[in-house]
Amino acid sequence: MNNSYYETLDENFAQALNLYERDYTHEELISLLKNGNIVQKQIAALRLDNITSVEDADVLIDNLTGQDGKIREAVSMRICEFMADERYLKFFQSNKSYDVFLDAIIDINANICRNIISAISNLKSDEDFCEKFCTKLVEMTLNLLNEISKFDFQQGKYKVNKEVFKLYWCLETVFVFFDKIDFSKLKQIILMAKDIEEYTIREKAAKILTQKFDDEDLALAKEQLKNDSNYYVRRYFA
């Protein structure tokens, strides 16, 4: 690596150290999140100790997609923390955030997916959120299932892995919101997922089936997965 790489690394470290050592007002941290560079936004997110309005929440939401991975991960962690607190949860209950959350649950960084799924689980009592978000979640999940069901997994292409990764986190989100999803759509998702060749997808189908369903087809699906060739799928019914 050339000298410029190390010089940039040193500059970023010095800038991060300065940001940590300085005292910033709430308004200054929000301003950095709006207009700062990668290091400034990352540190500002970590330094932010509260939010006071929907506008503050929107600034965090705006940094959750379309930004450098370091920013996205820091912001997702703080959103998760803020949304777990009833004092701040109301600031994230705006229609603007719903599509961003949907994008964030299939981020290429698994930590971001995990953080946002945990964050939005706090909105299960919000009927408007559940109706709008789950409708789009179901649509995205079924589209991915339809696409992946046609894949040749022996080829091991990048696109296969990428789409499977997205579906994996969609199904994890479906598990969280299973009781907020139209049952016929939920059933369709489970019955399709249980037959996908990639075991991590069958594993998620098995996880959803740990919930109690009074349905003959799902009972048969559960028996099928109980006898799956992969341990990680069978373990949910041990």
Side-chain angles (χ1 to χ4, degrees):
M1 295 182 183
N2 57 37
N3 290 335
S4 63
Y5 171 83
Y6 292 105
E7 288 171 2
T8 301
L9 199 63
D10 289 342
E11 289 172 3
N12 287 344
F13 179 79
Q15 188 176 53
L17 187 62
N18 179 54
L19 280 165
Y20 265 118
E21 290 179 342
R22 277 189 58 185
D23 287 330
Y24 286 88
T25 66
H26 179 84
E27 290 72 22
E28 287 173 328
L29 291 173
I30 293 296
S31 179
L32 285 174
L33 279 167
K34 287 180 179 178
N35 305 307
N37 58 30
I38 292 174
V39 175
Q40 290 170 335
K41 287 189 173 191
Q42 182 186 16
I43 302 302
L46 296 174
R47 288 285 305 274
L48 195 67
D49 58 9
N50 68 85
I51 52 176
T52 60
S53 64
V54 171
E55 289 71 28
D56 286 355
D58 284 347
V59 172
L60 286 171
I61 294 293
D62 288 343
N63 282 287
L64 191 53
T65 58
Q67 298 289 334
D68 180 85
K70 297 183 184 69
I71 298 171
R72 300 198 316 276
E73 184 164 359
V75 166
S76 73
M77 183 177 70
R78 298 318 313 279
I79 288 175
C80 184
E81 292 170 354
F82 286 132
M83 290 183 68
D85 190 322
E86 290 185 1
R87 293 175 298 171
Y88 307 124
L89 184 60
K90 62 181 179 292
F91 297 134
F92 293 92
Q93 292 173 276
S94 64
N95 289 337
K96 176 182 177 180
S97 63
Y98 298 172
D99 287 340
V100 181
F101 287 147
L102 195 69
D103 287 339
I105 65 167
I106 55 169
D107 194 281
I108 59 172
N109 182 328
N111 289 331
I112 296 171
C113 304
R114 196 175 291 109
N115 286 338
I116 296 306
I117 292 171
S118 178
I120 62 176
S121 69
N122 295 291
L123 292 175
K124 284 194 68 175
S125 61
D126 183 333
E127 292 184 7
D128 182 68
F129 172 79
C130 289
E131 180 182 355
K132 293 177 180 176
F133 178 83
C134 289
T135 297
K136 293 182 178 181
L137 171 65
V138 165
E139 181 181 358
M140 183 164 67
T141 304
L142 287 173
N143 285 341
L144 285 166
L145 279 164
N146 282 319
E147 185 175 0
I148 290 170
S149 65
K150 302 169 187 174
F151 283 164
D152 180 357
F153 283 87
Q154 300 305 316
Q155 295 181 6
K157 290 182 178 179
Y158 168 75
K159 182 181 179 182
V160 173
N161 294 332
K162 183 179 178 183
E163 298 307 288
V164 166
F165 183 86
K166 291 179 183 178
L167 179 58
Y168 177 93
W169 289 107
C170 279
L171 291 172
E172 180 66 20
T173 313
V174 167
F175 170 76
V176 173
F177 287 91
F178 83 96
D179 54 342
K180 303 297 182 181
I181 293 172
D182 175 80
F183 180 72
S184 65
K185 295 293 186 181
L186 179 65
K187 180 177 175 177
Q188 184 181 1
I189 287 170
I190 296 171
L191 294 180
M192 291 182 71
K194 76 175 179 61
D195 292 327
I196 295 294
E197 186 175 343
E198 168 57 46
Y199 84 87
T200 59
I201 301 306
R202 301 198 307 279
E203 180 187 0
K204 290 301 175 188
K207 186 175 182 179
I208 298 169
L209 283 170
T210 60
Q211 305 294 342
K212 292 182 179 180
F213 299 107
D214 183 16
D215 182 90
E216 185 176 341
D217 293 328
L218 293 185
L220 290 172
K222 186 174 182 178
E223 286 301 314
Q224 177 183 330
L225 294 175
K226 275 184 180 180
N227 298 294
D228 194 272
S229 60
N230 188 280
Y231 163 77
Y232 291 100
V233 178
R234 298 194 307 271
R235 69 188 170 124
Y236 283 105
F237 311 112

